[in-house]
Amino acid sequence: MKRICVFCGSNPGANPQYVQTAKALGRVMAEKSLGLVYGGASVGMMGEIADAVLQAKGEVIGVIPKFLVDKEVSHKHLTDLRVVNSMHERKMLMADLADGFIALPGGLGTIEEFFEVVTWAQLGMHGKPCGLLNVAGYFRMLVEFLEHAVQERLIRAEHRSMILMDENPGALLEKFDSYQPPVVEKWMDRKP
Ligand code: AMP
């Protein structure tokens, strides 16, 4: 793996552990010579992780749509800032540039971006690892919901297990190293 795409809040969140862990993830990635791909903003947790990787002399590529350059205050000191035309282009380019995906605590944008890459994995469009960094139990209820969806036969257990999780950045990246994507069809109970 050369680069990891990190999705995270454009806000810092209420719990100081969110920003602390964003910074810790940035440092661990730089130690492991893993470049960061992210949304290119200087605000919230997004700005914090970018700064942490840059301070540790790591590579940071930001991908931001034109209309957000001012709103999310694009980061001015990245290794590379790619300005694209739409949110769709942003997600596609971030996915192409990265060898794995991590979501830190975040809001609707973070959740949307993470689940889109998971759905691409489910359809076999890529076999890259996807993981939740469960800082202070932030994703606990989301994981409960996923278990519920498996019980209700709307998500395959194999597809639910594609979503790796840990509360520690280094431990999550170790899970990425040994990840093998499942080889199953998406559809269950399909009539012949
Ligand atoms: P949030 O988690 O809502 O603070 O947003 C985190 C990042 O996700 C921000 O850079 C948002 O611009 C971005 N974002 C929000 N919605 C989308 C979307 N539909 N596609 C791509 N990025 C998005």
Side-chain angles (χ1 to χ4, degrees):
M1 287 194 295
K2 275 174 61 184
R3 297 192 199 103
I4 301 288
C5 174
V6 178
F7 304 121
C8 60
S10 53
N11 291 294
N15 188 333
Q17 274 183 269
Y18 302 150
V19 164
Q20 284 161 15
T21 309
K23 290 179 177 174
L25 173 62
R27 288 192 295 269
V28 174
M29 283 174 56
E31 268 167 32
K32 289 178 173 280
S33 301
L34 287 168
L36 169 69
V37 177
Y38 86 118
S42 62
V43 294
M45 238 174 282
M46 296 173 74
E48 298 283 357
I49 187 167
D51 287 339
V53 176
L54 291 168
Q55 269 166 27
K57 309 271 179 263
E59 176 202 49
V60 184
I61 305 178
V63 184
I64 194 163
K66 263 187 217 140
F67 82 98
L68 282 182
V69 165
D70 293 328
K71 273 198 195 143
E72 288 193 344
V73 199
S74 66
H75 199 298
K76 302 289 180 288
H77 307 288
L78 303 178
T79 317
D80 192 4
L81 181 70
R82 312 271 184 100
V83 180
V84 294
N85 289 312
S86 68
M87 296 302 240
H88 287 101
E89 259 186 61
R90 177 195 231 184
K91 278 184 289 195
M92 183 61 85
L93 182 57
M94 288 166 87
D96 285 346
L97 289 169
D99 304 301
F101 306 92
I102 291 179
L104 274 158
L108 292 171
T110 302
I111 292 164
E112 193 276 343
E113 291 172 312
F114 182 74
F115 277 106
E116 179 144 24
V117 292
V118 172
T119 60
W120 291 349
Q122 176 180 255
L123 294 171
M125 292 164 65
H126 69 78
K128 303 173 185 178
C130 302
L132 296 170
L133 196 44
N134 192 26
V135 187
Y138 180 75
F139 290 115
R140 191 181 60 243
M141 281 173 279
L142 187 64
V143 169
E144 274 171 30
F145 171 76
L146 293 173
E147 300 300 345
H148 170 66
V150 170
Q151 274 162 21
E152 292 302 309
R153 298 187 61 73
L154 290 165
I155 298 180
R156 276 187 185 275
E158 295 90 336
H159 289 146
R160 186 265 164 263
S161 64
M162 290 186 320
I163 302 177
L164 306 174
M165 190 166 76
D166 207 286
E167 60 199 34
N168 177 277
L172 184 60
L173 286 170
E174 272 171 33
K175 290 181 182 170
F176 274 31
D177 285 335
S178 55
Y179 176 73
Q180 295 288 334
V183 190
V184 284
E185 258 221 353
K186 180 185 179 310
W187 296 275
M188 292 181 275
D189 307 326
R190 200 174 183 176
K191 289 198 181 119

